[in-house]
Coordinates of all heavy atoms in Angstrom, one line a residue:
T1 N 13.8 6.3 -21.4 CA 13.2 5.1 -20.8 C 14.1 4.7 -19.7 O 15.3 5.1 -19.6 CB 13.1 3.9 -21.8 OG1 14.5 3.6 -22.3 CG2 12.2 4.3 -23.0
C2 N 13.6 4.0 -18.7 CA 14.3 3.6 -17.5 C 14.0 2.2 -17.1 O 12.9 1.8 -17.4 CB 14.0 4.6 -16.4 SG 14.7 4.3 -14.8
N3 N 14.9 1.5 -16.5 CA 14.7 0.2 -16.1 C 14.6 0.0 -14.6 O 14.7 -1.1 -14.1 CB 15.8 -0.8 -16.7 CG 17.2 -0.5 -16.1 OD1 17.4 0.5 -15.4 ND2 18.1 -1.3 -16.4
C4 N 14.3 1.1 -13.9 CA 14.1 1.0 -12.4 C 12.8 0.1 -12.2 O 12.0 -0.1 -13.1 CB 13.9 2.4 -11.8 SG 12.3 3.2 -12.0
S5 N 12.6 -0.3 -11.0 CA 11.5 -1.2 -10.7 C 10.1 -0.6 -11.1 O 9.3 -1.4 -11.5 CB 11.5 -1.6 -9.2 OG 11.3 -0.4 -8.4
R6 N 10.0 0.7 -11.0 CA 8.7 1.3 -11.4 C 8.5 1.5 -12.9 O 7.6 1.0 -13.5 CB 8.4 2.6 -10.7 CG 7.1 3.2 -10.9 CD 6.6 4.0 -9.8 NE 5.3 4.5 -10.1 CZ 4.1 3.9 -9.8 NH1 4.2 2.7 -9.2 NH2 3.0 4.4 -10.0
C7 N 9.5 2.1 -13.5 CA 9.4 2.4 -14.9 C 9.4 1.2 -15.8 O 8.6 1.1 -16.8 CB 10.6 3.3 -15.4 SG 10.6 5.0 -14.7
Q8 N 10.1 0.2 -15.4 CA 10.1 -1.1 -16.1 C 8.7 -1.7 -16.2 O 8.3 -2.2 -17.2 CB 11.1 -2.1 -15.5 CG 11.2 -3.4 -16.2 CD 12.0 -3.3 -17.5 OE1 12.9 -2.4 -17.6 NE2 11.7 -4.2 -18.4
R9 N 8.1 -1.7 -15.0 CA 6.7 -2.3 -14.9 C 5.7 -1.5 -15.7 O 4.7 -2.0 -16.3 CB 6.3 -2.5 -13.5 CG 7.0 -3.6 -12.8 CD 6.8 -3.6 -11.3 NE 7.3 -4.8 -10.7 CZ 8.6 -5.0 -10.3 NH1 9.5 -4.0 -10.6 NH2 9.0 -6.1 -9.7
L10 N 5.9 -0.1 -15.7 CA 4.9 0.7 -16.3 C 5.1 0.9 -17.8 O 4.2 1.3 -18.6 CB 4.9 2.1 -15.7 CG 4.3 2.1 -14.3 CD1 4.5 3.5 -13.6 CD2 2.8 1.8 -14.3
G11 N 6.3 0.6 -18.3 CA 6.7 0.8 -19.7 C 6.7 2.3 -20.1 O 6.4 2.7 -21.2
W12 N 7.1 3.1 -19.1 CA 7.2 4.5 -19.3 C 8.1 4.9 -20.4 O 9.2 4.4 -20.6 CB 7.7 5.2 -18.1 CG 6.7 5.5 -17.0 CD1 5.9 4.7 -16.4 CD2 6.4 6.8 -16.5 NE1 5.1 5.4 -15.4 CE2 5.5 6.7 -15.5 CE3 7.0 8.1 -16.7 CZ2 5.0 7.7 -14.7 CZ3 6.5 9.1 -15.9 CH2 5.5 9.0 -15.0
V13 N 7.7 5.9 -21.2 CA 8.6 6.8 -22.0 C 8.4 8.1 -21.4 O 7.3 8.6 -21.3 CB 8.2 6.8 -23.5 CG1 9.1 7.7 -24.3 CG2 8.3 5.4 -24.1
L14 N 9.5 8.7 -20.9 CA 9.4 10.0 -20.1 C 10.0 11.1 -20.8 O 11.0 11.0 -21.6 CB 10.2 9.8 -18.8 CG 9.7 8.7 -17.8 CD1 10.8 8.4 -16.8 CD2 8.4 9.2 -17.2
T15 N 9.5 12.3 -20.5 CA 10.2 13.5 -20.8 C 10.1 14.4 -19.6 O 9.1 14.4 -18.9 CB 9.7 14.2 -22.1 OG1 10.6 15.3 -22.5 CG2 8.3 14.8 -21.9
F16 N 11.2 15.1 -19.3 CA 11.3 15.9 -18.1 C 11.2 17.4 -18.5 O 11.9 17.8 -19.4 CB 12.6 15.7 -17.3 CG 12.6 14.3 -16.8 CD1 13.1 13.2 -17.5 CD2 12.2 14.0 -15.5 CE1 13.2 11.9 -17.0 CE2 12.2 12.7 -15.0 CZ 12.7 11.7 -15.7
V17 N 10.3 18.1 -17.8 CA 10.1 19.5 -18.1 C 10.2 20.3 -16.8 O 9.8 19.8 -15.7 CB 8.8 19.8 -18.8 CG1 8.8 19.1 -20.2 CG2 7.6 19.5 -18.0
P18 N 10.6 21.6 -16.9 CA 10.4 22.5 -15.7 C 9.0 22.6 -15.3 O 8.1 22.5 -16.1 CB 11.0 23.8 -16.1 CG 11.7 23.5 -17.4 CD 11.1 22.3 -18.0
K19 N 8.7 22.7 -14.0 CA 7.3 22.7 -13.5 C 6.5 23.9 -14.2 O 5.3 23.8 -14.5 CB 7.2 22.9 -12.0 CG 5.9 22.7 -11.5 CD 5.9 22.5 -10.0 CE 4.4 22.2 -9.5 NZ 4.4 22.1 -8.1
A20 N 7.2 25.0 -14.6 CA 6.5 26.1 -15.2 C 6.0 25.8 -16.6 O 5.2 26.5 -17.1 CB 7.5 27.3 -15.3
A21 N 6.5 24.7 -17.2 CA 6.1 24.3 -18.6 C 4.9 23.3 -18.5 O 4.5 22.8 -19.5 CB 7.2 23.6 -19.3
F22 N 4.4 23.0 -17.3 CA 3.3 22.0 -17.1 C 2.2 22.7 -16.4 O 2.4 23.3 -15.4 CB 3.9 20.9 -16.3 CG 2.9 19.8 -15.9 CD1 2.7 18.7 -16.8 CD2 2.2 19.8 -14.8 CE1 1.8 17.7 -16.5 CE2 1.3 18.9 -14.4 CZ 1.1 17.8 -15.3
T23 N 0.9 22.5 -16.9 CA -0.3 23.0 -16.3 C -1.4 22.0 -16.3 O -1.7 21.4 -17.3 CB -0.8 24.3 -17.1 OG1 0.3 25.2 -17.2 CG2 -2.0 24.9 -16.4
L24 N -1.9 21.8 -15.1 CA -3.1 20.9 -15.0 C -4.3 21.6 -15.5 O -4.5 22.8 -15.1 CB -3.3 20.5 -13.5 CG -2.4 19.4 -13.0 CD1 -2.6 19.3 -11.5 CD2 -2.6 18.1 -13.7
T25 N -5.0 21.0 -16.4 CA -6.2 21.7 -16.9 C -7.5 21.0 -16.4 O -8.6 21.6 -16.4 CB -6.3 21.6 -18.5 OG1 -6.2 20.2 -18.9 CG2 -5.2 22.4 -19.1
K26 N -7.3 19.8 -15.8 CA -8.4 19.1 -15.1 C -7.8 18.4 -14.0 O -7.0 17.4 -14.1 CB -9.1 18.1 -16.1 CG -10.4 17.6 -15.5 CD -11.2 17.0 -16.6 CE -12.6 16.5 -15.9 NZ -13.3 15.7 -16.9
D27 N -8.0 18.9 -12.8 CA -7.3 18.5 -11.6 C -8.2 17.5 -10.8 O -8.7 17.8 -9.7 CB -7.0 19.7 -10.7 CG -6.0 19.4 -9.6 OD1 -5.5 18.3 -9.6 OD2 -5.7 20.3 -8.8
G28 N -8.4 16.4 -11.4 CA -9.2 15.3 -10.7 C -8.5 14.7 -9.6 O -7.3 15.1 -9.3
P29 N -9.0 13.8 -8.9 CA -8.3 13.2 -7.8 C -7.1 12.4 -8.3 O -7.1 11.9 -9.3 CB -9.4 12.3 -7.2 CG -10.3 11.9 -8.3 CD -10.3 13.2 -9.2
V30 N -6.1 12.5 -7.5 CA -4.9 11.7 -7.7 C -4.5 11.0 -6.5 O -4.7 11.4 -5.4 CB -3.7 12.5 -8.3 CG1 -4.0 13.0 -9.7 CG2 -3.3 13.6 -7.4
T31 N -3.8 9.9 -6.6 CA -3.2 9.2 -5.5 C -1.7 9.3 -5.7 O -1.2 9.2 -6.8 CB -3.6 7.7 -5.5 OG1 -5.1 7.6 -5.4 CG2 -3.0 6.9 -4.4
E32 N -1.0 9.5 -4.5 CA 0.4 9.7 -4.6 C 1.1 8.4 -4.2 O 0.7 7.7 -3.2 CB 0.9 10.8 -3.6 CG 2.4 11.0 -3.6 CD 2.8 12.0 -2.6 OE1 2.3 11.9 -1.4 OE2 3.6 12.8 -2.9
Y33 N 2.2 8.1 -4.8 CA 3.0 6.9 -4.5 C 4.5 7.4 -4.5 O 5.0 8.0 -5.4 CB 2.9 5.8 -5.5 CG 3.7 4.6 -5.2 CD1 3.6 3.9 -4.0 CD2 4.7 4.2 -6.1 CE1 4.4 2.8 -3.8 CE2 5.6 3.1 -5.8 CZ 5.4 2.4 -4.7 OH 6.2 1.3 -4.4
R34 N 5.2 7.1 -3.4 CA 6.6 7.4 -3.3 C 7.3 6.1 -2.9 O 6.8 5.3 -2.2 CB 6.9 8.4 -2.2 CG 6.4 9.8 -2.6 CD 6.7 10.8 -1.5 NE 6.2 12.1 -1.8 CZ 6.9 13.1 -2.2 NH1 8.3 13.0 -2.3 NH2 6.4 14.3 -2.5
F35 N 8.5 5.9 -3.5 CA 9.3 4.7 -3.2 C 10.8 5.0 -3.2 O 11.2 6.1 -3.5 CB 9.0 3.5 -4.2 CG 9.5 3.7 -5.6 CD1 10.6 2.9 -6.0 CD2 9.0 4.6 -6.5 CE1 11.2 3.1 -7.2 CE2 9.5 4.7 -7.7 CZ 10.6 3.9 -8.1

């Protein structure tokens, strides 16, 4: 968990994986946000 301004607001519980361990199975539209 993280208390940065974004994670705190979202209530994220995160796990980090190498990109090779992640596959989109339904690639609908997404909006990107960077801060």
